[in-house]
Amino acid sequence: MEKRKKQKMTAAQRRLLLGAIFLMATSAIGPAFLTQTTIFTEKYLASFAFAILVSIIIDIGAQLNVWRVLTVTGKRGQVIANEVMPGLGTVISILIVLGGLAFNIGNVAGAGLGFNALLGMDVKVGAIITGIVAILVFSSRHAQKAMDIVTQVLGISMILIVAFVMFKVNPPYAEAATKMVLPDNPFALVMPIITIVGGTVGGYITFAGAHRLIHAGMTGKENLPFITKAANTGIVTTGVMRMLLFLAVLGVVSTGVKLNPDNPPASVFYHALGDIGPRIFGLVLLAAAMSSVIGAAYTSASFLKGFHPWFLKHNNIVVILFIVISTTIFSFVGKPVELLVLAGAFNGLILPVSLTAILIASRKKSIVGDYEHPKWIFWLGVFAVIVTIFAGLFSIQSMAEYFG
């Protein structure tokens, strides 16, 4: 029965499926994703494969719970949180919007750096061009379709480029496969696991794909096979990108090369491809940052819909204003490091709270009706909450250390 449904999937449904997958995946694959993966690979070498594997399992636990509960009920994350505890959804919305705005400033900055590496363009000019392109996407009469297509093109481009670099450097595949299940020091990998989980499903990213499906009306129990496939594929897509980048970096550092600490990812591309390497990295950074700008703006704006009907009616205008504000702040102030640190703390704190609310909602018939939430997904979600509580504690600690 489920197979027949898959065979009868329309072109519009396929586009929506890929749109939700790549919106979530490319939202996670931003400038910080590239830098963190590179730094952790240089430090832990092949054993970092274990951290990637564990993070994918945790990410699936978080996303399956969020995507299934939200889309079965047809309610956005903040609405469900308010039904679990009045006012909780409002608090989560404020945190996500503030964190999303701060991260979007960083994403705009990353895109500007991408233009600079690729074309030698001034960083602020590149950031403004990024903002204009993102605004044009949401100014289209078919903004949702345009967003789906743009995120797919950027996501696939990043994967293909990094895959090419990986094959070029010929990393030690067998060692990486072994260390994926038998790392040298598993306990030393706790911090990198927590860090990359927070970056993959923290803050607004957790809700990006589910809110996209709700916006398109893909809700209800009858669509669960479609929803589950989208959630799993989105996480796996992010995991594939991280694994390809990990192997590309491993292929360089395993030869004894020391990466430039000022820009580790660009250093990898330089050692792999020569003088053209940093320009190719600029293209990857530009694609990662621009897709994250689109994802952060779209999802953050979706959390404003519950505050007033105007936000619901004029969603595209809200998204455009979000992009304009992000771009303007970066253009006039420069890279706001303090905001990015605060945003990281928000991300670490939001996921355990929001995911706990979703888990509670999955057991309340007043919210999910006669839907029976699978126990294994529930307990995988509980595991994800425990891990992300530690992420929140680390975020608070790092923020306290930063502001001294």
Side-chain angles (χ1 to χ4, degrees), residues 33 60 77 95 138 143 159 198 206 208 245 257 293 303 307 313 317 389:
F33 176 101
I60 289 175
L95 288 175
F138 289 102
I159 290 172
T206 323
L245 181 58
V257 168
V293 167
F303 275 87
F307 286 102
K313 184 177 180 182
I317 294 176
I389 285 173

Side-chain angles (χ1 to χ4, degrees), residues 9-290:
M9 190 181 289
T10 65
Q13 286 176 322
R14 281 194 297 273
R15 177 180 59 77
L16 175 60
L17 174 69
L18 291 170
I21 288 168
F22 278 97
L23 180 64
M24 188 282 291
T26 56
S27 292
I29 304 169
F33 176 101
L34 301 175
T35 303
Q36 287 172 355
T37 303
T38 303
I39 291 172
F40 286 140
T41 303
E42 184 178 27
K43 182 173 182 178
Y44 299 102
L45 300 175
S47 291
F48 185 56
F50 176 79
I52 296 174
L53 177 62
V54 173
S55 72
I56 290 172
I57 294 170
I58 296 170
D59 294 345
I60 289 175
Q63 291 286 13
L64 275 181
N65 279 284
V66 171
W67 286 44
R68 287 176 71 98
V69 173
L70 264 61
T71 50
V72 160
T73 61
K75 299 172 182 176
R76 293 178 181 84
Q78 67 270 34
V79 176
I80 288 180
N82 275 331
E83 291 183 2
V84 170
M85 179 186 293
L88 179 60
T90 303
V91 172
I92 290 173
S93 295
I94 292 170
L95 288 175
I96 284 180
V97 170
L98 289 175
L101 178 63
F103 268 117
N104 224 27
I105 297 167
N107 291 332
V108 169
L113 290 170
F115 270 115
N116 176 263
L118 182 63
L119 302 172
M121 187 180 293
D122 181 85
V123 174
K124 289 185 178 180
V125 173
I128 292 170
I129 292 173
T130 300
I132 292 171
V133 171
I135 288 168
L136 289 174
V137 169
F138 289 102
S139 299
S140 165
R141 286 179 55 199
H142 306 288
Q144 304 304 312
K145 183 177 181 180
M147 179 180 69
D148 290 343
I149 293 171
V150 169
T151 53
Q152 287 173 49
V153 170
L154 293 175
I156 292 170
S157 299
M158 284 188 286
I159 290 172
L160 291 177
I161 292 170
V162 175
F164 171 76
V165 174
M166 180 198 72
F167 286 121
K168 183 80 167 55
V169 298
N170 191 27
Y173 297 105
E175 183 186 4
T178 302
K179 299 296 185 184
M180 182 180 287
V181 291
L182 294 171
D184 290 334
N185 186 355
F187 295 105
L189 295 166
V190 171
M191 181 55 186
I193 289 170
I194 290 171
T195 303
I196 61 179
V197 166
T200 309
V201 291
Y204 66 89
I205 299 169
T206 323
F207 300 93
H211 281 197
R212 174 69 188 98
L213 293 177
I214 290 172
H215 197 152
M218 186 61 69
T219 57
K221 289 193 296 183
E222 65 276 13
N223 288 309
L224 275 177
F226 181 98
I227 292 159
T228 302
K229 179 180 179 181
N232 287 335
T233 310
I235 287 294
V236 170
T237 301
T238 309
V240 166
M241 177 62 180
R242 195 184 296 276
M243 189 61 74
L244 290 172
L245 181 58
F246 153 71
L247 288 169
V249 178
L250 184 63
V252 171
V253 298
S254 62
T255 62
V257 168
K258 296 294 182 184
L259 301 181
N260 181 351
D262 293 333
N263 195 339
S267 182
V268 170
F269 280 70
Y270 171 76
H271 287 289
L273 304 175
D275 291 338
I276 199 174
R279 292 187 182 276
I280 300 298
F281 169 71
L283 182 60
V284 173
L285 179 60
L286 176 59
M290 187 171 290

